[in-house]
Amino acid sequence: YILILWGLRMQLHLDRWLSRGVKYLHKSALSRPKKYIAALPVLLSSTLLTSTSLHAASLVENYTTSNIISYAAFVATLVFAIVGCGVFMRSSSRAEQERDVLSNELADLRAYSDRFETLIQADDQRFMIWQSTSQTPTIIGDLPDNCSAPTSFTDFTAFGKWLQAPSAAGLERHIAALRSDGTAFQLAIATREGNYLDVYGRSMGGQIFVRFRDLSGDQQVILELRRQLSEKSSEAKTFQALLEELPQPSWLGHQNEAGERIIKWANKAYHDAVDSAANTKVLAELLDKEARDAMTQLHEQGSPFKQRVNAISNGNRCTFDVVSVPTESGSAGIATDVSDAEKAQTALNRTIKAHETTFNELATAVVIFDKSHKLTFHNKAYRELFGLEEVFLTSAPNDSEILDKLRSIEKLPVEANYRQWKKNILDVHQSVETQEFTWYLPDGQTLRVVASPRASGGVTWIYENMTAELDIKKRVNVLSCLQRETLNRLSDGVAVFSSDGKLTLKNASFMKLWGLDDEILVTNPDLNSIAEICVEKYACKDDWHALKMAVVGVSDKPDEADGTMKRPDGSVIRYSTNALIDGSRMITFVDITDSVNFENAMMEKNEALSEADKLKTDFVQHVSYELRSPLTNIIGFTQLLSDADIGPLTDKQQEYTDYILSSSSSVLAIINDILDLATADAGVLELSLSEVSVSGIINNAVEGLKDRLRERQIKLTQTIAPDVDTFIGDERRMIQTLFNLLSNAIQFSEENSEISLIVSSKDEDLIFEVQDWGAGISETFINQVFERFESQEQGSVRGGAGLGLSIVKRFVELHHGHVAIDSQEGEGTKITCVIPMEPDHNSTAAE
């Protein structure tokens, strides 16, 4: 009953609440839809309460115990729902209030963020921000367009694309240090367009901030000036380091407050020149007072000082080319030592004068034109050759005027087109190669004209009169024809083979004797081919083999290869070989068949052979005399061409000139030796006896061998006994004797070896001993070393003409002395010459 009464009471209240709730829901639905939805549980509760009250009223009317129990359970459930709805509504109200508070705070934060971004945008700057766990930065802010910074995130973080390489590398290095250990930094970086940015980085609150700001105009200028200052300082240090190592004294000077000139810096060469230490504060002056006063006067006028002055350097008087320029703080100078250059110039002038003197004494005409075609030098032979007046030549005419003058006096070749010929001659001034012409003058003279360009400009002309030389060549040709005709008239067969075995000369008797025809000689056969033909026809294989060995110079006795051939047809041929001065071998064949049977015919043949031998000797002597003169000219002009003052030669020309000079000198020496021996054999060689200094002739002989000793690195030791001073003899022949002895020892000695010369006396004799430790001489050859044209090859050492020791023996015998030789193969050779200290003054070759 209590519940029923309570339910009725509650019904009255619920009706009142329900009406209020409906009004409230109506108003909330219009203003706050969310509160309307939240009030739905209240509405439902009210509805349930209404239905409960109605149900309670029905229970009063239909009261039963089971109904009362079910109603009580329902009411308990209803009470729980009402309490839950109240709690829910209270929590919803509290959440609404908190939401309003958070919404207000969010609005405040958004306003603060907008003010912060506005503040950042107000200045030309950009931030890169890293969170503590973030690897990708956040970029805020903008930089002006004129600083050339990219706007996109990817391009901006690629510093190497828009920054200069040093700035990009330094920025990346500082950012890495900031992120790793929090090291703050501030630096200026340069873009590729030359703009500068200030970069500041630091860590704060677990975040990394890097700020980029565009520098103002003044700061840009300051940084640019700093960069230029750094570059200039680096350049100044570089130039200072360079000047420090220069061999020329260099210095920087300024004037102090008293107006005195002070050296404030100098390089090591300057310190060495004035003999002062590197740390000396007050340096001595290198130049004298007169030079310094002249320098100061020019500097006050703003002009540089450039003069050649004398000064004391390292205690020596030297000549310097001084250059000093005025600067804002004083002056800078450098001094170049030209003492050696002055000496060289003086020596050059003396050399030029000496050459001019030499040219004046030459029989060859020489004239020199400078680069402006003016005549600068001519010798006496030039004036005499063309008959030009001294007054005309001293007026320094050009080469065109001289050619016109020579044409007017008929001293030029007759040319149909003189203008073109003259142009070709004058074109040598534009040539770099030596040119050679041949002029046939109207008076019958033949000139060899050589135009050699000079290194300093201009041309040197050499006029060689070839008239006499051509006449000599003509005579030689006549002698050659006479020789050929003479040989063809001989009944003996004569054949001459060159050093390579080729047949170079033969007579008709040789062809007939061995049955050879002219068709065989068309192929230019050698000794082997001829020997095969002769052996095939007439056998005698061993004899021809001996001849081959003699011709090629490998037999033990090449100059004595002679013998008798007995041919199958019964004829008997005597053969012999002889070495000629040019290295060729002459083989003579004599048919002595009839002499075997008839003694008289034998005698006639012997006389014919003697006459032929004499004719041969006379021919050799005559040819030697005729060849020595042109060889002397060849050597002289080759030496003249080799002289650098005449004109430069190319490397190949110099090489050829050296070959000509070497070969000509060798041939001339051989010819002189042959003539000396021939003169001695004729008994007309007289000694010019006088008092001879032993040391003097040794020095003269050694002087001509210094180059060979140095080239082969051979040491020559000399030992002269104290009691040996002078003796009576022919000085020139004794020098020649010692020269040949030492030359022979050098030739057959190994490189880096030693030879000795010992001079002593015994009783009334003077003894010269020349010892070498070379290859030595074999026993089979030692008895032939003093014979003429005997030469032996030892290993790689090639034998000479075989005349040196023959001359030694002949000259010693002329002094009434004798020569002895002691040699063992592989151990060396010792040659001893013994001559009396006072030979007979009437000694001649005949004696």
Side-chain angles (χ1 to χ4, degrees):
Y1 290 105
I2 293 173
L3 291 173
I4 293 172
L5 291 175
W6 181 79
L8 291 174
R9 186 178 179 183
M10 289 299 295
Q11 184 177 3
L12 294 176
H13 290 289
L14 289 173
D15 289 339
R16 197 164 47 247
W17 291 351
L18 182 60
S19 62
R20 291 179 181 175
V22 170
K23 293 180 181 179
Y24 175 75
L25 290 175
H26 178 70
K27 186 185 293 184
S28 299
L30 294 175
S31 61
R32 294 183 178 180
K34 292 183 180 180
K35 290 186 177 181
Y36 173 76
I37 296 173
L40 285 178
V42 178
L43 180 60
L44 292 175
S45 300
S46 301
T47 304
L48 288 174
L49 290 174
T50 303
S51 63
T52 302
S53 64
L54 292 177
H55 183 62
S58 64
L59 286 177
V60 172
E61 294 176 357
N62 300 300
Y63 171 78
T64 61
T65 302
S66 60
N67 289 337
I68 291 173
I69 295 172
S70 62
Y71 182 76
F74 176 76
V75 170
T77 304
L78 181 60
V79 171
F80 179 77
I82 291 172
V83 173
C85 288
V87 174
F88 173 76
M89 291 183 66
R90 185 178 180 87
S91 299
S92 177
S93 176
R94 186 181 296 110
E96 182 70 18
Q97 293 176 358
E98 291 178 357
R99 186 185 65 81
D100 291 339
V101 173
L102 291 175
S103 178
N104 293 333
E105 291 179 355
L106 178 61
D108 293 340
L109 288 175
R110 286 179 177 174
Y112 180 77
S113 177
D114 292 340
R115 288 194 301 271
F116 179 72
E117 290 183 1
T118 301
L119 181 61
I120 293 176
Q121 297 293 343
D123 195 4
D124 292 331
Q125 57 185 345
R126 180 173 293 178
F127 286 88
M128 294 180 66
I129 304 173
W130 283 269
Q131 300 296 332
S132 59
T133 58
S134 175
Q135 295 297 328
T136 302
T138 300
I139 298 179
I140 302 174
D142 293 316
L143 291 170
D145 296 336
N146 59 1
C147 72
S148 306
T151 57
S152 67
F153 174 83
T154 304
D155 294 338
F156 185 79
T157 55
F159 300 125
K161 292 183 178 180
W162 60 281
L163 294 178
Q164 295 181 8
S167 297
L171 179 59
E172 291 177 352
R173 184 173 63 254
H174 282 86
I175 290 177
L178 175 62
R179 295 187 62 191
S180 63
D181 53 17
T183 303
F185 67 89
Q186 183 175 7
L187 71 157
I189 59 176
T191 65
R192 290 184 179 272
E193 283 71 18
N195 298 317
Y196 291 91
L197 298 175
D198 179 62
V199 183
Y200 173 76
R202 63 174 297 180
S203 61
M204 182 174 61
Q207 295 181 337
I208 304 298
F209 296 88
V210 177
R211 183 189 67 183
F212 296 82
R213 293 187 62 188
D214 183 29
L215 295 176
S216 62
D218 292 341
Q219 292 174 324
Q220 290 269 12
V221 172
I222 292 173
L223 288 174
E224 179 64 23
L225 291 176
R226 287 179 178 176
R227 184 188 64 80
Q228 294 179 4
L229 177 61
S230 177
E231 291 180 356
K232 297 301 181 183
S233 297
S234 177
E235 292 177 0
K237 291 180 180 178
T238 301
F239 281 110
Q240 184 175 355
L242 175 62
L243 291 174
E244 191 70 32
E245 298 301 326
L246 284 180
Q248 295 92 348
S250 305
W251 65 89
L252 295 176
H254 76 288
Q255 288 185 345
N256 58 13
E257 296 178 354
E260 298 176 348
R261 181 174 179 269
I262 298 177
I263 303 297
K264 65 178 181 180
W265 176 87
N267 64 352
K268 291 189 293 185
Y270 188 96
H271 285 279
D272 295 339
V274 299
D275 194 18
S276 64
N279 56 358
T280 303
K281 294 183 178 179
V282 180
L283 293 176
E285 289 285 356
L286 176 65
L287 307 179
D288 57 18
K289 186 177 185 305
E290 182 180 355
R292 296 198 304 271
D293 292 342
M295 184 187 304
T296 303
Q297 183 178 1
L298 288 174
H299 288 174
E300 289 176 352
Q301 299 173 1
S303 301
F305 176 82
K306 298 180 180 179
Q307 290 185 15
R308 178 167 291 186
V309 299
N310 295 322
I312 304 300
S313 175
N314 291 325
N316 299 320
R317 186 172 184 82
C318 302
T319 302
F320 291 96
D321 278 342
V322 179
V323 178
S324 179
V325 295
T327 62
E328 294 180 357
S329 60
S331 63
I334 185 170
T336 303
D337 189 353
V338 295
S339 303
D340 294 338
E342 276 202 342
K343 294 178 182 178
Q345 184 64 40
T346 303
L348 177 61
N349 294 335
R350 288 198 300 266
T351 302
I352 292 174
K353 291 181 180 180
H355 286 168
E356 290 179 355
T357 303
T358 303
F359 286 155
N360 278 322
E361 299 300 327
L362 287 178
T364 302
V366 179
V367 63
I368 300 176
F369 295 92
D370 61 13
K371 59 184 178 182
S372 61
H373 296 207
K374 293 292 185 180
L375 177 65
T376 59
F377 173 79
H378 66 280
N379 64 353
K380 180 180 178 182
Y382 178 77
R383 296 195 305 270
E384 294 176 351
L385 177 63
F386 293 107
L388 296 175
E389 299 176 354
E390 179 71 18
V391 176
F392 171 72
L393 295 176
T394 54
S395 64
N398 58 37
D399 47 5
S400 177
E401 295 173 350
I402 292 179
L403 288 176
D404 293 338
K405 178 72 173 179
L406 293 177
R407 187 184 183 216
S408 65
I409 60 177
E410 297 183 352
K411 290 294 185 179
L412 288 182
V414 178
E415 297 289 339
N417 190 347
Y418 173 71
R419 292 181 179 273
Q420 184 62 38
W421 179 86
K422 177 181 176 182
K423 180 180 179 300
N424 295 336
I425 293 296
L426 298 180
D427 283 345
V428 298
H429 284 274
Q430 284 72 43
S431 176
V432 296
E433 301 291 339
T434 301
Q435 299 188 30
E436 184 173 333
F437 310 93
T438 301
W439 290 3
Y440 300 97
L441 303 185
D443 59 359
Q445 294 187 92
T446 301
L447 302 182
R448 175 176 171 266
V449 182
V450 178
S452 177
R454 306 181 69 198
S456 59
V459 179
T460 299
W461 291 86
I462 300 175
Y463 301 88
E464 182 181 358
N465 195 338
M466 301 291 291
T467 307
E469 182 177 348
L470 292 176
D471 183 60
I472 292 175
K473 288 182 178 179
K474 181 179 178 181
R475 294 182 181 181
V476 170
N477 291 333
V478 171
L479 289 175
S480 299
C481 294
L482 177 61
Q483 173 194 20
R484 190 176 298 107
E485 291 296 327
T486 302
L487 291 177
N488 284 329
R489 294 294 185 272
L490 292 176
S491 58
D492 300 339
V494 178
V496 178
F497 294 90
S498 61
S499 57
D500 59 356
K502 296 290 186 179
L503 179 64
T504 58
L505 185 64
K506 87 289 181 189
N507 65 352
S509 299
F510 171 74
M511 302 291 291
K512 181 179 179 181
L513 186 63
W514 294 102
L516 303 175
D517 52 29
D518 294 334
E519 295 180 357
I520 298 175
L521 303 180
V522 174
T523 60
N524 192 20
D526 55 12
L527 182 57
N528 287 329
S529 301
I530 295 177
E532 290 177 359
I533 297 173
C534 294
V535 169
E536 183 179 355
K537 290 184 177 181
Y538 301 102
C540 305
K541 183 177 181 180
D542 294 337
D543 295 310
W544 277 103
H545 178 74
L547 284 174
K548 288 191 292 182
M549 295 298 101
V551 170
V552 298
V554 297
S555 64
D556 292 338
K557 298 181 180 180
D559 286 344
E560 296 183 0
D562 55 10
T564 301
M565 297 182 184
K566 294 183 179 180
R567 302 196 302 194
D569 59 359
S571 59
V572 179
I573 307 298
R574 181 182 295 280
Y575 63 88
S576 63
T577 61
N578 291 278
L580 302 181
I581 58 175
D582 60 351
S584 301
R585 298 286 176 147
M586 181 177 68
I587 306 176
T588 56
F589 299 92
V590 181
D591 188 352
I592 59 172
T593 305
D594 295 337
S595 64
V596 174
N597 300 321
F598 302 98
E599 184 178 356
N600 293 334
M602 183 72 172
M603 295 296 296
E604 293 176 359
K605 290 292 182 180
N606 288 335
E607 293 177 1
L609 287 175
S610 298
E611 291 295 328
D613 185 72
K614 184 177 182 303
L615 179 62
K616 178 191 67 176
T617 303
D618 293 341
F619 169 76
V620 170
Q621 294 181 11
H622 185 70
V623 170
S624 298
Y625 275 112
E626 294 295 331
L627 289 179
R628 185 162 64 173
S629 179
L631 273 175
T632 303
N633 291 334
I634 291 172
I635 294 172
F637 287 115
T638 303
Q639 292 174 343
L640 183 63
L641 289 175
S642 301
D643 193 345
D645 294 330
I646 300 301
L649 299 177
T650 64
D651 294 339
K652 184 59 71 175
Q653 290 172 340
Q654 187 64 48
E655 181 181 358
Y656 291 158
T657 304
D658 294 338
Y659 288 157
I660 294 173
L661 186 61
S662 177
S663 301
S664 301
S665 299
S666 299
V667 173
L668 182 61
I670 293 174
I671 292 175
N672 289 333
D673 291 342
I674 293 175
L675 291 177
D676 287 338
L677 289 174
T679 305
D681 292 341
V684 295
L685 179 62
E686 294 183 358
L687 298 179
S688 178
L689 299 178
S690 62
E691 186 174 6
V692 179
S693 171
V694 174
S695 59
I697 62 173
I698 292 176
N699 292 335
N700 288 331
V702 173
E703 183 67 24
L705 296 169
K706 284 185 177 180
D707 291 339
R708 293 177 60 184
L709 290 169
R710 181 170 53 254
E711 178 182 357
R712 303 196 62 188
Q713 298 182 359
I714 295 176
K715 180 181 179 182
L716 172 62
T717 60
Q718 304 177 28
T719 303
I720 303 176
D723 58 341
V724 174
D725 186 10
T726 61
F727 68 99
I728 302 301
D730 189 327
E731 182 177 4
R732 176 170 169 269
R733 302 304 178 184
M734 288 305 301
I735 292 174
Q736 193 172 357
T737 299
L738 290 177
F739 179 91
N740 285 326
L741 285 173
L742 295 174
S743 176
N744 184 76
I746 293 172
Q747 182 175 359
F748 292 97
S749 295
E750 299 292 336
E751 293 186 358
N752 298 310
S753 61
E754 180 180 356
I755 60 176
S756 68
L757 171 61
I758 301 174
V759 183
S760 60
S761 64
K762 184 178 181 180
D763 298 332
E764 298 296 325
D765 294 332
L766 188 64
I767 303 173
F768 294 87
E769 294 179 357
V770 176
Q771 172 76 54
D772 67 78
W773 289 268
I777 304 173
S778 63
E779 294 180 358
T780 58
F781 186 74
I782 194 169
N783 295 326
Q784 305 172 25
V785 293
F786 293 108
E787 297 182 11
R788 300 173 188 178
F789 303 108
E790 290 288 346
S791 180
Q792 182 184 23
E793 293 185 0
Q794 294 289 345
S796 60
V797 180
R798 182 180 178 182
L803 296 173
L805 295 181
S806 299
I807 292 176
V808 169
K809 181 179 179 182
R810 191 64 175 129
F811 286 169
V812 170
E813 290 175 351
L814 288 175
H815 284 80
H816 298 284
H818 63 274
V819 181
I821 185 168
D822 181 15
S823 177
Q824 293 184 4
E825 193 170 7
E827 296 183 6
T829 303
K830 181 173 74 173
I831 300 178
T832 303
C833 298
V834 180
I835 62 173
M837 290 188 178
E838 293 185 4
D840 187 1
H841 286 244
N842 297 322
S843 298
T844 62
E847 294 176 338

